Each structure stands twice: as structure tokens, then as C-alpha cells.
Amino acid sequence: MTISAAVEQNGFTASGNITVSGTWEQYASDGSSSPTAYSYLHGANKTISGGGIYTNVWLHFKGSTTFSGIVNSGEIEKTYVGKVFSIADGITYKTNYFENQSTSNLVGSSIMEVSGDFLNSSTFNMNTSNVKFTGTSPQNITTGMATFYNVNIEGGGAKTLQDEMFLTGTATFTDGDLITASDKLLVFSSGSFSSGANDNSHVDGPCKKIGNTDFIFPLGDQGELRELGISAITDAWDGFISEAFKAKHVSVTNVGAPLTNVSELYYWDLDQSVGSNGAKVELFWDLSSEDGIDDCGDLTIAHYFVSPSLTEKWWEEPSTTVTGADCSASGSGSIKTDNVITQFSPFGFGSKSGGANPLPTELLIFKGTIQQQYNALEWVTASEINSDYFELQSAADVGTFETIAIVDAAGNSNTNITYNSNDYNYYENTYYRLKQVDFDGAYSYSNVVLLERARVELTPQMPGSGLSFYPNPTRSELNINFQAATDGRSLRSP
């Protein structure tokens, strides 16, 4: 059977090979473009070929079928028990729904693109091919415990696993999250890895890695990428499970020396599910200001576990920032433990001095605006624990901060609180920061805000004359500009 133009009928039955040389488009009997019946493909060893395209076609594969021509935009495909469905090497096959009840083979470098639900309940052989989940709307993925090679997460819609997905190649993240659960994991086998994870596309939920190759978990939560890496793994059968949380740990204030504070913004769970030899742990940040990181020298990894003295709290795991790490406001980087970790539990960013990262209070906003007579500063906290007061500090340069106001904090809170303070004695260019102090004396600093005040001019009501002075007000130096009158009058000070 050769199809060279649109098939204007409500489904048909074919028992031989089909050659598509034009566009195969199925119509309903009323002429609409929404078919109400399937085209059934019967018989053994059929081939659909020819290099044409098909669109708006509902197919049920009731016989063994091989696609060896490039086909696009199919609607609903379903295989039946005892039949074989194959996509030939180099072929791209697209559908908005795929249900496999038989045997499906993706050969060589073939590609299957699915924009709707994927349901496998039988044998699905990927070999070294690629399945792309491209839906712009939510997709459900039931793997039937099949092993996948390369997988792409695209289209923007969330993709939710209904069971475990085993991966032996690469998971490429472009747009849209892959949502997992403790019994519906994305499992990376030895030698597999992820690529391209970002704020808009990552694993939202737990993820598992098997094997002794170094690995970075493509984790995130609430629209933010938060990766965790493991390395120095010795056993090829070791297994690790990790998950990222954009939240504060329930015991965030329970810290042991030399730690002074632990991030309340994010933490990671990492457990070894198979084996006991452990791994080095690496935590990543992609925007220092979002993680409360401002001092690479003070930054360390905090680890919540029971110490040899049987005390359960956050302890330091001696760590070193990886070469190239940037702790400035827009910086990114990572920090890795110096030693292999064999006891697993929550991990997070920690600080040893109390005067640097990360903030013990979750600071959402710190900003300033220039008013005519003062600089207005505002900050908003999302949560506070043991918070005593804020010192608002200013400087003409970033090395000479002094306290200009003290504002009482809420103490403990889990709701947004807005604070304000005005500076009437500013510099022409003024740097501001917050020092947040706890009841126990621990403290940390916010990011720095710079306000650059434009020159303020006051002009007397005298034609042809002018007087300007700046900055206004001033702390030390006053600049005065004077323009003589042009009508013979003089301008005098009182």
C-alpha cells in the first residue's frame, strides 16, 4: 500500500507493507481532522517506509511492524501482545502517546520522541538509541522497569515517573523537571551520567547512582538547581541515593565547634544504599547571593550525624573549595570534603567564624533606594531562629564599615517580616550591609548594597545666577559651585 496524499477516512486496516511518499493524514468520516477510529496494521513483518511524514493518525500495531522511513507527529500508538514494533537505525519516530504491550525495539541511533504519556508493560529494548520526552504539558512515564540508554527531558512540561527508570547512557536536561519519589527513582548505572541540568530542568526528588565512577546528581527543588557530587568510590556495586531540599533542616541551630552556623536555605540528604566504603562529598552553588555565601576561606561542609561522643548535631567535615570557586555575589562553584565519608546523613553549607556565610536568618531581600533627604534601606526575612538584632552598617568603601543603626529582630519567626531604616548622613557613594546577631552572640553578614547618589542642585530664584552644592547632607567635605549673575547684581551670603 502506497500513501502519497491524505487518507480521508475514519481508520482503515492494512495487512501489507506501507510506503509513505507524501503526507499521511487521517480524517474522520465527517471530514474533521479529529479521527474517531484507529488504523489497524495487521500481518507479520510489515515495513512502513518511504521517507514521507504522517500526522493526526491513530495507529494500533496488531502485527509486527518496522519503521524505516522518517515519520512525524503521530497521535496514538499501541502495540499488541505477541507482536514486534521496531524503529530502524537512524530513524526519528514521534508520537504524542505510546503504549507497549508487546516487544518494542529501538535500533542503533534511532530516536523516539513522546510528547504525551509513555506506558510500557512488556519488553522495551532501547539498545543505544534515544527516547525524548518532549511534552509541554505534564507527562506520566511508566517504564515497566525497562532499561533506557539515552533520555532527554525537554518541552517544559513536568515528567513524573510512575516506577523506576534505569539508565545506562546519558540523561540530558533541557526544559522541564523529572519528578521522582522514593519508590520511583531515576537510577544511573555505572558509567552513566547527566548533562545540562539547570534551574528549569533537573530531578525534583530522590535520585540513585550505582557504581564507582565519579558522579554529580542533577538535583533541584522549587525551581532551583542544587547539585551534589560524589567521588573516590571504590566498589563497582556501591549505591548512593541523594535528594536536595530548599528548606532549613529541623535541627539547624544544633551545631558543634568549630561550626558557628549552618545554612537555613538548603540542605541535601545523601545515603549509601549499597556498600559501606563511602565517598567524598561535593556541594555546588550557582549563585552565591542565593545561598548566603560570601567568604570562600570560611566556607565548609556541615554534616548532621552522631559523633563518636554520641552527640547528634551538625559537625564540620573538613573541606576545600574546588579550584575556580567564586564566592562573590554572582559567583558559582563547589566545595568538597577532604576525606572519604562513611557515615551518611544530611549535608549543608557551614561557617566557622560566625562573621561570614551562610546567613543564620533567611534573608529574602536587602535593598536601598535614594530619597531626597536620605537613603532608605529595607530588608525582608523569610524565617528567623534565635535572632537578636540587626546592625545596619555603612561605608564610603567596602573596607571601612561602621554601624549607623541597630534594629531589634523578631527572635523566632517562620513568616516574612519587613524591616526599614533611613540613613540621613550618607556619602556620595555609600555601601551598606547588615550584621545579623543571634542571642548567643553568633553573627553573620548580608550581601553589600551600593547606593550612588546623583548630585543634588539648588538654584536660587535669580535670573542668570546659580548655586549648587553636594553632597547634601555631608559628613566632611562640601563642594560648592557658583555661577555669577549676568544682570549686574551680586549674590551674597547672609
Side-chain angles (χ1 to χ4, degrees):
M1 177 178 181
T2 299
I3 297 176
S4 58
V7 178
E8 300 182 8
Q9 61 184 46
N10 193 11
F12 69 94
T13 298
S15 58
N17 293 336
I18 297 176
T19 300
V20 183
S21 60
T23 298
W24 177 8
E25 184 170 7
Q26 182 177 325
Y27 292 88
S29 57
D30 63 2
S32 70
S33 59
S34 299
T36 58
Y38 299 105
S39 292
Y40 292 94
L41 306 184
H42 293 270
N45 303 319
K46 289 185 309 304
T47 298
I48 299 178
S49 61
I53 65 172
Y54 75 92
T55 183
N56 206 40
V57 178
W58 291 13
L59 296 178
H60 272 196
F61 302 108
K62 304 198 76 170
S64 298
T65 305
T66 297
F67 275 89
S68 63
I70 298 177
V71 293
N72 296 279
S73 304
E75 285 299 318
I76 298 177
E77 279 73 23
K78 184 175 182 178
T79 65
Y80 280 79
V81 175
K83 310 304 177 183
V84 177
F85 169 78
S86 299
I87 303 176
D89 186 14
I91 299 305
T92 297
Y93 171 83
K94 299 182 181 181
T95 177
N96 85 329
Y97 173 88
F98 185 80
E99 181 178 354
N100 180 48
Q101 297 181 355
S102 181
T103 297
S104 292
N105 294 319
L106 277 64
V107 181
S109 60
S110 61
I111 298 173
M112 173 183 282
E113 296 186 12
V114 184
S115 59
D117 289 350
F118 179 98
L119 177 60
N120 175 50
S121 58
S122 187
T123 302
F124 187 80
N125 298 317
M126 274 199 66
N127 299 297
T128 57
S129 56
N130 194 347
V131 174
K132 297 183 177 182
F133 297 99
T134 61
T136 58
S137 299
Q139 294 178 257
N140 292 318
I141 302 171
T142 302
T143 70
M145 307 302 285
T147 298
F148 287 71
Y149 187 67
N150 292 331
V151 170
N152 289 56
I153 305 300
E154 303 176 357
K159 292 85 168 92
T160 302
L161 289 183
Q162 303 301 309
D163 53 4
E164 287 193 340
M165 174 183 283
F166 294 88
L167 188 75
T168 59
T170 303
T172 301
F173 293 86
T174 303
D175 194 9
D177 290 340
L178 181 63
I179 300 174
T180 63
S182 60
D183 59 342
K184 303 174 180 66
L185 296 169
L186 172 62
V187 181
F188 289 85
S189 62
S190 183
S192 61
F193 61 96
S194 71
S195 173
N198 57 79
D199 285 345
N200 296 320
S201 188
H202 49 256
V203 175
D204 189 343
C207 182
K208 185 175 183 178
K209 169 67 170 69
I210 298 173
N212 57 3
T213 52
D214 295 353
F215 185 73
I216 297 175
F217 289 91
L219 303 172
D221 189 29
Q222 300 181 50
E224 294 184 8
L225 180 69
R226 288 296 177 270
E227 295 176 304
L228 179 145
I230 52 177
S231 59
I233 309 164
T234 59
D235 195 328
W237 296 104
D238 282 356
F240 298 85
I241 298 176
S242 186
E243 184 173 3
F245 298 91
K246 184 182 178 181
K248 59 185 176 185
H249 190 267
V250 292
S251 300
V252 73
T253 60
N254 187 17
V255 300
L259 289 177
T260 58
N261 50 310
V262 175
S263 175
E264 297 184 14
L265 305 180
Y266 308 93
Y267 73 92
W268 291 260
D269 273 343
L270 176 66
D271 292 300
Q272 186 162 9
S273 58
V274 179
S276 59
N277 294 323
K280 289 187 176 182
V281 177
E282 185 174 3
L283 305 183
F284 291 78
W285 70 92
D286 61 359
L287 187 62
S288 297
S289 60
E290 288 186 353
D291 292 273
I293 293 173
D294 58 17
D295 187 339
C296 280
D298 177 75
L299 186 66
T300 191
I301 290 181
H303 181 192
Y304 191 78
F305 68 102
V306 179
S307 71
S309 62
L310 302 180
T311 303
E312 185 176 38
K313 59 175 60 177
W314 289 95
W315 301 97
E316 183 199 10
E317 292 290 355
S319 308
T320 304
T321 51
V322 175
T323 301
D326 183 357
C327 293
S328 64
S330 59
S332 62
S334 64
I335 185 169
K336 181 188 292 187
T337 60
D338 298 334
N339 305 309
V340 169
I341 306 300
T342 58
Q343 185 175 355
F344 291 91
S345 49
F347 293 87
F349 294 120
S351 176
K352 294 175 288 185
S353 72
N357 46 193
L359 292 176
T361 294
E362 185 179 356
L363 189 66
L364 290 180
I365 298 171
F366 177 45
K367 65 180 182 179
T369 57
I370 295 174
Q371 305 298 322
Q372 183 174 3
Q373 298 297 325
Y374 58 89
N375 287 343
L377 287 305
E378 176 182 300
W379 60 100
V380 180
T381 62
S383 63
E384 298 181 34
I385 297 177
N386 195 38
S387 183
D388 189 4
Y389 60 90
F390 297 92
E391 291 185 14
L392 178 62
Q393 299 182 343
S394 72
D397 60 74
V398 292
T400 58
F401 282 100
E402 61 179 357
T403 299
I404 60 172
I406 295 178
V407 179
D408 288 338
N412 294 283
S413 170
N414 57 9
T415 60
N416 289 6
I417 298 178
T418 301
Y419 298 88
N420 296 278
S421 184
N422 298 329
D423 179 18
Y424 290 87
N425 296 303
Y426 46 78
Y427 300 100
E428 186 172 6
N429 295 323
T430 311
Y431 295 87
Y432 295 97
R433 72 179 182 185
L434 290 174
K435 179 180 179 181
Q436 187 274 321
V437 183
D438 286 348
F439 287 110
D440 60 6
Y443 62 91
S444 58
Y445 292 100
S446 73
N447 58 296
V448 175
V449 171
L450 171 63
L451 293 185
E452 298 177 288
R453 176 169 287 271
R455 189 171 73 176
V456 177
E457 292 193 0
L458 300 177
T459 303
Q461 299 299 313
M462 182 180 295
S465 66
L467 176 68
S468 66
F469 56 93
Y470 63 92
N472 176 35
T474 183
R475 297 189 185 204
S476 55
E477 181 179 89
L478 178 66
N479 299 288
I480 301 175
N481 288 340
F482 173 73
Q483 177 180 334
T486 58
D487 63 350
R489 291 179 296 170
S490 63
L491 180 66
R492 299 180 180 177
S493 60

